[in-house]
Amino acid sequence: MNTEILKVDRDNLGGVSMAHAGEIIRSGGLVAFPTETVYGLGGDALNPKSSKKIYEAKGRPSDNPLIVHIADLDAIRKIAILDESCYEIKDIEGTVNRLAEAFWPGPLTIILKKTDAVPYETTGGLDTVAIRMPSDKIAAVFIRESCGYIAAPSANISGRPSPTKVSHVIEDLSGRVDMIIDGGDVDIGLESTIVDLTEDRPYILRPGAVTEQMLRAIIPDVTVDKGLKKDSDAAPKAPGMKYRHYAPKGELTIVTGDIDRVIDYINDRAQVCKADLIKCGVICPDEHILRYKAPVVKCTGRLGDEEAVAKRLYSILREFDAEGVEVIYSESFDSDGIGSAVMNRLIKAAGHKIVQV
Ligand code: AMP
Ligand code: MG
């Protein structure tokens, strides 16, 4: 398949090219497009054949549901049931409206019960549907120019880090999709926060840029899915969270504890790698770069700048792959803010290998 790369001007999106992207979707094709979180691999969410194609292009397990992207709040009615009697949570419509008012357009995905308009091919066989309204201007125009409902997982081959630059999308999906819209680097760099409203109380199924604290201000009884907690044996509720996502090719270990001990530990390991002729890499904030003795050291931005880490993380993991790094050590970036979403992804990328020093 020949993949058209469409470079667009964010400030001038009215032209024929976006209409062409919309036509591709309406005729059952696939278009990768930028959003503020990561690049998405889009198809018509209401067309089962399009959803099937998305799974094939990504090599994604078909029980891993897709998020439906909309550009207008009214669009929800066609795809989600908002009838009070179908939910345990009280005032479901009011809850959705309050969340939308606070966080849409933006990096929050809301799970609701689906209507028959949404095929099971899109929801991975579930009776629920995940919905998000992205804030990226290109994404909004693209959704409106197509059919108003774009099913889109991250635009990477399954198992690879999510794409935050158009070069990542081209690397993974060139020849597998009809078009890639080049909107430059994304803003946030981590996938959306997912909140589920279909159970007894609101649950966070995936942490993201909309933090638990931010959600609590709008829906006070929100809680984090047990399966996401570090010390829990419960399986995560979001089907996607059970897969080992976001993995670099090299073996990644997170090292936590007193920073001087962390640096000493990683430098010791780097020495061992050198002796064994294994290429070793380190992930750390800018301020620590000169303290590491590994051959490849990647910086996440200034110490404490969690947003910078979020933006850089997936790119760094891909750079390690490209440079043939075989063993990676990362400092820890935990916090109450987006740092907790960064750690969630990093821990998955590390296959839960964490060393406390
Ligand atoms: P991605 O688009 O790659 O960020 O993945 C979307 C993720 O959203 C999936 O991996 C699921 O974990 C989650 N998701 C989508 N739809 C649902 C749903 N109906 N119920 C629970 N989780 C969902
Ligand atoms: Mg993904």
Side-chain angles (χ1 to χ4, degrees):
M1 179 190 292
N2 182 36
T3 301
E4 183 181 342
I5 312 285
L6 178 67
K7 177 124 185 85
V8 291
D9 172 2
R10 277 183 182 276
D11 299 317
N12 183 19
L13 294 170
V16 288
S17 46
M18 291 303 279
H20 176 43
E23 252 165 54
I24 293 175
I25 294 293
R26 282 195 302 279
S27 59
L30 301 183
V31 175
F33 64 103
T35 82
E36 72 278 20
T37 57
V38 299
Y39 270 82
L41 163 52
D44 178 355
L46 307 187
N47 178 348
K49 287 195 190 128
S50 298
S51 293
K52 273 194 177 156
K53 274 195 193 171
I54 292 176
Y55 286 102
E56 273 163 29
K58 260 186 83 93
R60 179 177 174 113
S62 62
D63 65 346
N64 190 357
L66 308 174
I67 294 172
V68 180
H69 294 71
I70 56 174
D72 302 282
L73 190 53
D74 280 348
I76 278 200
R77 298 193 169 277
K78 183 167 175 180
I79 55 173
I81 298 172
L82 290 173
D83 182 346
E84 289 297 316
S85 65
C86 298
Y87 290 88
E88 286 180 64
I89 291 178
K90 297 227 165 25
D91 186 23
I92 190 72
E93 191 158 356
T95 306
V96 171
N97 284 335
R98 284 200 301 281
L99 286 172
E101 168 115 348
F103 304 116
W104 277 1
L108 178 72
T109 295
I110 302 176
I111 302 202
L112 292 166
K113 303 209 168 163
K114 81 171 195 70
T115 63
D116 291 342
V118 189
Y120 284 113
E121 284 78 356
T122 299
T123 65
L126 298 174
D127 287 317
T128 55
V129 59
I131 309 170
R132 182 166 100 82
M133 190 193 296
S135 64
D136 185 287
K137 257 165 54 177
I138 298 172
V141 171
F142 165 61
I143 294 165
R144 289 201 184 101
E145 287 286 351
S146 53
C147 50
Y149 300 94
I150 297 290
S154 48
N156 52 291
I157 295 286
S158 242
R160 296 216 66 201
S162 294
T164 56
K165 296 171 179 290
V166 75
S167 58
H168 301 160
V169 184
I170 293 171
E171 189 176 289
D172 278 14
L173 295 181
S174 198
R176 291 170 174 258
V177 295
D178 299 282
M179 179 188 269
I180 296 171
I181 303 177
D182 176 357
D185 294 358
V186 304
D187 228 25
I188 296 173
L190 287 185
E191 303 83 352
S192 58
T193 305
I194 302 180
V195 66
D196 184 1
L197 300 182
T198 67
E199 300 279 346
D200 54 332
R201 61 189 287 186
Y203 287 97
I204 296 170
L205 303 191
R206 177 171 75 185
V210 174
T211 62
E212 185 181 348
Q213 231 176 351
M214 289 158 77
L215 281 169
R216 186 149 292 139
I218 310 295
I219 40 173
D221 56 340
V222 71
T223 186
V224 177
D225 173 28
K226 274 207 297 293
L228 291 188
K229 301 211 167 117
K230 284 174 200 136
D231 42 7
S232 164
D233 296 334
K237 264 207 72 221
M241 300 301 278
K242 71 183 184 217
Y243 294 105
R244 182 172 172 231
H245 261 178
Y246 323 115
K249 290 177 191 150
E251 192 185 318
L252 170 63
T253 304
I254 302 163
V255 187
T256 79
D258 169 76
I259 190 58
D260 292 327
R261 285 209 299 269
V262 166
I263 292 171
D264 285 349
Y265 177 88
I266 293 177
N267 281 335
D268 280 351
R269 302 312 303 164
Q271 277 297 325
V272 172
C273 286
K274 191 174 170 195
D276 292 344
L277 302 176
I278 292 170
K279 195 167 181 185
C280 174
V282 174
I283 304 176
C284 68
D286 296 355
E287 285 82 349
H288 298 162
I289 183 169
L290 295 175
R291 299 183 63 187
Y292 283 106
K293 299 193 184 94
V296 188
V297 182
K298 303 275 181 196
C299 290
T300 51
R302 303 200 45 182
L303 192 64
D305 184 349
E306 298 157 22
E307 283 169 19
V309 190
K311 209 165 181 159
R312 287 273 295 130
L313 179 66
Y314 288 144
S315 207
I316 286 175
L317 296 180
R318 280 178 182 260
E319 288 167 22
F320 279 133
D321 283 358
E323 292 167 40
V325 173
E326 299 163 271
V327 169
I328 307 162
Y329 291 98
S330 176
E331 289 187 22
S332 168
F333 300 94
D334 215 348
S335 76
D336 291 338
I338 195 173
S340 70
V342 169
M343 283 314 288
N344 166 272
R345 309 310 196 272
L346 201 55
I347 289 168
K348 275 162 69 68
H352 293 265
K353 274 196 301 302
I354 305 172
V355 175
Q356 172 84 42
V357 292

